[in-house]
Structure formats: structure tokens, C-alpha cells
Amino acid sequence: MGQIATAVKAVLSLGGTGSFVASRQNDPVYVDLADYLHGGGSKVTADKALNYIPFYAAVRIISADLAVLPLKIYRDLPGGGREEYRAHPAFELLYRKANPFMSAFTFRSTLQAHVLTWGNGYAEIEYNTDGTIRALWPLRPDRTEVKVADGKPFYRYTHSDGTHTDLPQRKVYHVHGLGFDGLVGYSVISRAQDTLKLAVTSGKYGQNWFDRGGVPPAVLTHPKTLSDTARKNLRESIDNGTLSDRQRMALLEEGLDIKVLGIPPGDAAFIETTTNVRDLMPTLFRIPPHMLGFVERSTSWGSGIEEQGLGYVSFTLGEWIVNWEQESNIRLLPGEDAYYKHRVDHFLRGRARDRWANYKDGLTSGVYSIDDVLAMEDMNPLPDGLGQRRFVPLNMAPLDQVGAMTIEQRIAALGGLVRAGFDPADAADVLGVPEIDHTGL
């Protein structure tokens, strides 16, 4: 019985764990075959997954874009509306600086990257002596566990020396994705293990293909039997060839002939396999394909880049915006009337022409003040409160006040309604504008 057949029989009979297989653990034939037959193989870790460019790109894009959005503390005003609560001790933590060594952007993008790979992002909350929060310190997700004792969750962090520290729930800021028990999120890499393993494996396969110069396999034939010395010399000349050597015309001697076998089915399907795995990344992260460079599938997110951007904010960032706001309110503002909220204007600004058309409508209808428009364009307000006033058209009034309008105001309002598409006779009747006699000329 041949070596391969022996290995197959041993693996199938002993389940990959018997003494026979264990005794041959250094033999690559047995080790690789056992892994393959039992669905094993090398596990894809976070580091390996991030080496796959589409996966890394999706994590980087979502993490950076979420951290770009300003996350501020607001409080409601008694007369309606809200204002930024900059005097709150926790205002700077997620807006400017999370700790003495880390900006808010770095902290938030790091924690979000942890969530998108490990399923959980943890940070220790450092308090001042007066009970206010001083800083947020990221914790490694691979060393942090959620435990429950006496019905209360707590967090156990394992240090590099093997010791651990237990932290109560109030001292840990925890953002997590979809999970089973509501305490922790699923590890994205574990859930997508098979897909990522295929991506990594196909990448190695492609690298091996190009390492041999992208040249299809071939067979050298000879009409006679080669001597051992001739066979050894021929093998060495082939194995020692560089990439450039492989792409040159070979010189065949002593009656040698070359037969190209063509691209085998495995190599021919390589590009298709790579594409199929690549196309799963937008599905995994719910991200528009065009943001990962897959423009051939971008139309399903909208007819234009602007619409696709709106879809990205609504369907991709939306869940993380709510997730961060709610966790921040629970952990950083417990029992307070203040609350965290993102500003998403950065992604919804649209083109300049469309923005100013919207501003004009808002200004002429009294929705915006001049200062409101300036603020949305990141400009300073007008001095002395000049930009705080709101304006409405004088040629429009509520229907219950039509009787108090002068004839001039009614005629002006009639003109506005007619230009808006209303029937002139109906509009005149509603406004009480008398019919004008014509001379007949």
C-alpha cells in the first residue's frame, strides 16, 4: 500500500488523534492530510485576516469614518432645542482627547476596529477622586473576558505575565456587535473563518502561481531513458531558474521536447474563486461595494455616488452610530439629562449647488436663520446677533387671517399661488380677490 493510501486509512480509522498519526506528526504528508480530511488547517487569526486587503479596507473605512463624525454631549433647552454641553467633564473624552496619549479619533477608530474584527471593543474608565471621568484606556480584546458572578457582570483582563485584574462593569466602556447573550458580540473572524481561510489560501495559491512566473505546467519528454546524472542536472537547471529565466525561451538539448499541459482547472478557477471571496466582504460588513473598489456592483446602492453615500451613512454607519451613543450615555453619563449625539452633516452635505438650494428654501421659509446656514458651512456667525433673525414671505398668511390682509397683500399672495401652479380662479376665490372687469379691448 502506498504512503498516501496508508495515511488516508490511518486518518479515517483513528480520527486524526490516534497514536499512529501522532507518531507521524512531523511528516507533512500525514499532518496536511489529517487537517484537510477533518476540516482543519491553519486557523485565520486577526493578523492574518487583516493581511487580506478587502477585509482590511472594510475595517479601516468603517473605523475611520465613524471616528471622523463629531461625537458631542448635548442637553435640551427649556424652551425647546438643544445646545452643546461643553462644560461637562466628559465632553472632551470622545470629541478631542480620550487620554493623555491618545486623541479621540485614535481611540474611537481603534475600538471600532476591535469590534469589527473581534466583535468587542473594551476600554477601562479611569475616574478622578471626585467621581468624574478622567480618561478612557483601550483594552486588548483578546485578553478581556466578560464574567458573571452573583448575577452581576464583570470584566477579567489577563496581563502578559498571566496575572489578571477584575474590573466592575461601571469601570469598562464596552461596544460590541451582534451577539448571543447580549453581553458579548460574536467574533467576526471566527464567524467568517471559512470564508477568510479560503481568501488567505487563494492568496497563497496566487502567490505560488506568480512565483513560478505565471507559466502553465509543462512536461519535458525524451525518446530515451535519461541517466541519473542527466536527470539531476536537468532538474537543477530548472529549479535554480529565476523569474526572468522562466519567461525566456528555453534551449532544449539531446532530443528533449516540451509539452505544455495548459492551465489546470484549479488554476483556471483561481480568478473566479478570488472574485467570489472578495465579493463577500461588502456583505460581511454591509458596506457599498464601490468603497472597496468593486465598481461593477455599485448600482444596487443608488444611481449616483451621492445616493450611495447616503445609503452608506444609513445602512452601514447607522447601527454603529446608535451603538456608540447608547453605550456612551449608559457608561459615561449615567443618570444625567445630558446625552451624546453624532453630527453626520459631514457625509450628508452633498454638492455645493444642492446645499445652497436647500439653504435658500430654508431661509425663505423661516426654517433657517443666516447664522444656521453659516454654522452648517463651518463659518462664524454674523456679529451683534444680526444673523439670528428668521424671515418669512410677506405675501403669505394663514387662511384664518386672510380677512385681515390688505388688497395689496391678497394680490401678492394670489400671484404666489398662481406661480406655484394653483388655478387662478380658485386662488382668487379663497383669498377674496374681486374679479377685475376688463375693457374688452
Side-chain angles (χ1 to χ4, degrees), residues 331-360:
R331 292 287 168 259
L332 307 182
L333 303 174
E336 298 192 31
D337 294 332
Y339 53 90
Y340 277 95
K341 189 170 184 62
H342 288 86
R343 288 285 302 273
V344 297
D345 311 50
H346 175 79
F347 290 107
L348 303 178
R349 289 168 64 88
R351 295 176 299 177
R353 182 178 62 183
D354 296 334
R355 294 202 315 271
W356 283 103
N358 172 64
Y359 296 156
K360 181 179 178 181

Side-chain angles (χ1 to χ4, degrees), residues 26-49:
N26 293 325
D27 189 333
V29 173
Y30 289 87
V31 174
D32 292 344
L33 188 59
D35 284 340
Y36 176 77
L37 292 176
H38 292 282
S42 58
K43 183 178 180 180
V44 177
T45 63
D47 289 337
K48 288 183 179 179

Side-chain angles (χ1 to χ4, degrees), residues 139-391:
L139 299 173
R140 286 183 50 166
D142 57 328
R143 295 183 179 179
T144 307
E145 296 178 273
V146 181
K147 303 284 188 178
V148 178
D150 299 326
K152 296 181 179 181
F154 68 94
Y155 295 80
R156 175 164 293 174
Y157 185 79
T158 302
H159 302 278
S160 56
D161 61 359
T163 61
H164 64 263
T165 300
D166 290 341
L167 299 171
Q169 191 177 30
R170 64 178 290 269
K171 293 197 67 176
V172 176
Y173 183 92
H174 180 194
V175 179
H176 63 81
L178 179 67
F180 176 75
D181 56 5
L183 294 178
V184 295
Y186 290 128
S187 168
V188 177
I189 294 177
S190 296
R191 289 292 168 177
Q193 185 70 204
D194 291 342
T195 300
L196 293 173
K197 187 184 296 183
L198 180 59
V200 173
T201 303
S202 62
K204 291 181 178 179
Y205 191 89
Q207 180 180 356
N208 180 61
W209 167 260
F210 288 108
D211 281 346
R212 64 174 188 256
V215 178
V219 174
L220 293 176
T221 62
H222 193 275
K224 299 180 179 180
T225 303
L226 294 176
S227 65
D228 292 341
T229 301
R231 185 187 299 274
K232 179 180 178 182
N233 292 337
L234 181 60
R235 169 55 61 189
E236 289 179 352
S237 67
I238 295 175
D239 292 342
N240 294 332
T242 62
L243 178 61
S244 58
D245 291 335
R246 295 190 186 101
Q247 295 173 336
R248 294 175 180 172
M249 181 65 69
L251 297 178
L252 303 180
E253 304 180 54
E254 299 181 355
L256 285 172
D257 185 25
I258 184 169
K259 292 183 179 181
V260 178
L261 300 180
I263 301 179
D267 288 341
F270 165 69
I271 295 178
E272 181 180 357
T273 300
T274 303
T275 302
N276 291 338
V277 174
R278 182 204 71 175
D279 289 346
L280 292 176
M281 294 301 105
T283 303
L284 180 62
F285 290 101
R286 198 161 67 169
I287 188 173
H290 79 274
M291 299 189 72
L292 298 179
F294 312 155
V295 295
E296 66 273 10
R297 295 181 54 200
S298 62
T299 55
S300 60
W301 281 72
S303 58
I305 294 297
E306 188 172 348
E307 289 188 11
Q308 293 174 16
L310 294 176
Y312 171 63
V313 173
S314 300
F315 304 124
T316 304
L317 296 183
E319 64 170 308
W320 301 117
I321 288 174
V322 173
N323 200 330
W324 275 78
E325 289 176 354
Q326 293 185 352
E327 177 65 17
S328 301
N329 292 335
I330 293 172
R331 292 287 168 259
L332 307 182
L333 303 174
E336 298 192 31
D337 294 332
Y339 53 90
Y340 277 95
K341 189 170 184 62
H342 288 86
R343 288 285 302 273
V344 297
D345 311 50
H346 175 79
F347 290 107
L348 303 178
R349 289 168 64 88
R351 295 176 299 177
R353 182 178 62 183
D354 296 334
R355 294 202 315 271
W356 283 103
N358 172 64
Y359 296 156
K360 181 179 178 181
D361 291 340
L363 286 169
T364 56
S365 61
V367 175
Y368 297 149
S369 69
I370 295 178
D371 282 355
D372 291 335
V373 174
L374 292 173
M376 286 185 282
E377 289 294 313
D378 293 326
M379 301 173 66
N380 293 329
L382 296 179
D384 303 324
L386 294 177
Q388 297 179 4
R389 301 182 65 185
R390 299 174 187 265
F391 299 89

Side-chain angles (χ1 to χ4, degrees), residues 16-183:
T17 58
S19 58
F20 177 79
V21 174
S23 67
R24 304 297 297 272
Q25 61 182 345
N26 293 325
D27 189 333
V29 173
Y30 289 87
V31 174
D32 292 344
L33 188 59
D35 284 340
Y36 176 77
L37 292 176
H38 292 282
S42 58
K43 183 178 180 180
V44 177
T45 63
D47 289 337
K48 288 183 179 179
L50 290 172
N51 286 334
Y52 182 55
I53 297 302
F55 185 91
Y56 174 82
V59 172
R60 182 184 63 83
I61 289 171
I62 296 176
S63 301
D65 286 349
L66 184 70
V68 162
L69 298 177
L71 182 54
K72 302 179 181 179
I73 299 178
Y74 294 87
R75 59 181 175 182
D76 294 330
L77 297 175
R82 62 171 181 257
E83 66 175 359
E84 293 182 4
Y85 194 1
R86 290 181 171 268
H88 195 284
F91 186 91
E92 298 289 312
L93 292 174
L94 298 179
Y95 179 64
R96 194 179 306 276
K97 186 171 66 173
N99 59 63
F101 305 104
M102 194 174 296
S103 68
F105 175 88
T106 302
F107 171 81
R108 292 173 59 198
S109 60
T110 299
L111 222 65
Q112 183 62 32
H114 289 169
V115 179
L116 294 173
T117 51
W118 291 91
N120 299 272
Y122 306 98
E124 182 181 1
I125 303 174
E126 180 185 2
Y127 290 89
N128 291 310
T129 55
D130 61 358
T132 59
I133 299 176
R134 180 181 181 182
L136 297 172
W137 300 93
L139 299 173
R140 286 183 50 166
D142 57 328
R143 295 183 179 179
T144 307
E145 296 178 273
V146 181
K147 303 284 188 178
V148 178
D150 299 326
K152 296 181 179 181
F154 68 94
Y155 295 80
R156 175 164 293 174
Y157 185 79
T158 302
H159 302 278
S160 56
D161 61 359
T163 61
H164 64 263
T165 300
D166 290 341
L167 299 171
Q169 191 177 30
R170 64 178 290 269
K171 293 197 67 176
V172 176
Y173 183 92
H174 180 194
V175 179
H176 63 81
L178 179 67
F180 176 75
D181 56 5
L183 294 178

